[in-house]
Amino acid sequence: QVQLVESGGGLAQPGGSLRLSCAVSGVTFSRYDVTWYRQAPEKERELVAGITRTGSSTNYADSVKGRFTISRDNAKNTVYLQMNSLKAEDTAVYYCKARISSSLLGSIDYWGQGTQVTVSS
């Protein structure tokens, strides 16, 4: 059974930091690319940051570049999102998605349940 469990969310002040974790089980983690998304109230879900299966490549939304850092530890089956210089507009539920792709099966996605991040003074 595939499980993605996000943690590390909570309340932070503007300018503060949080580190989110996405723990993945039930799959061979090193075969999966992982992406963080977020969804604010009444807004569409948006991509925040992604990392390839080996960690050799990352990508970020323009709105978080220079403030957020995505990383992974394949030995711990975990992806992290370090969020610094937080802003009120970073308030959202953050989700992680693991994707495996193959020429035979196409792409299969698994999602976590999300963790709330609130940035407020």
Side-chain angles (χ1 to χ4, degrees), residues 76-120:
K76 295 183 178 180
N77 286 11
T78 302
V79 169
Y80 304 98
L81 185 68
Q82 179 66 44
M83 306 187 296
N84 298 329
S85 302
L86 284 164
K87 305 176 181 179
E89 50 263 44
D90 295 319
T91 296
V93 178
Y94 285 70
Y95 301 89
C96 63
K97 180 191 79 177
R99 167 174 285 189
I100 186 169
S101 300
S102 72
S103 57
L104 182 63
L105 298 176
S107 295
I108 301 174
D109 293 338
Y110 299 98
W111 288 87
Q113 293 299 307
T115 185
Q116 175 71 46
V117 171
T118 302
V119 183
S120 175

Side-chain angles (χ1 to χ4, degrees), residues 1-105:
Q1 181 179 357
V2 182
Q3 277 193 315
L4 282 74
V5 179
E6 300 98 333
S7 62
L11 177 64
Q13 292 188 339
S17 298
L18 286 173
R19 189 176 82 154
L20 304 184
S21 299
C22 173
V24 183
S25 61
V27 297
T28 304
F29 180 64
S30 60
R31 295 182 180 177
Y32 286 73
D33 300 329
V34 178
T35 306
W36 283 97
Y37 290 79
R38 67 187 180 187
Q39 188 165 18
E42 301 181 357
K43 291 190 176 181
E44 293 186 355
R45 191 172 295 190
E46 63 174 355
L47 184 149
V48 176
I51 189 165
T52 54
R53 64 200 68 183
T54 63
S56 61
S57 180
T58 59
N59 64 287
Y60 297 91
D62 287 343
S63 59
V64 307
K65 280 181 182 175
R67 300 188 299 121
F68 290 10
T69 302
I70 189 170
S71 62
R72 68 189 293 159
D73 184 340
N74 283 355
K76 295 183 178 180
N77 286 11
T78 302
V79 169
Y80 304 98
L81 185 68
Q82 179 66 44
M83 306 187 296
N84 298 329
S85 302
L86 284 164
K87 305 176 181 179
E89 50 263 44
D90 295 319
T91 296
V93 178
Y94 285 70
Y95 301 89
C96 63
K97 180 191 79 177
R99 167 174 285 189
I100 186 169
S101 300
S102 72
S103 57
L104 182 63
L105 298 176

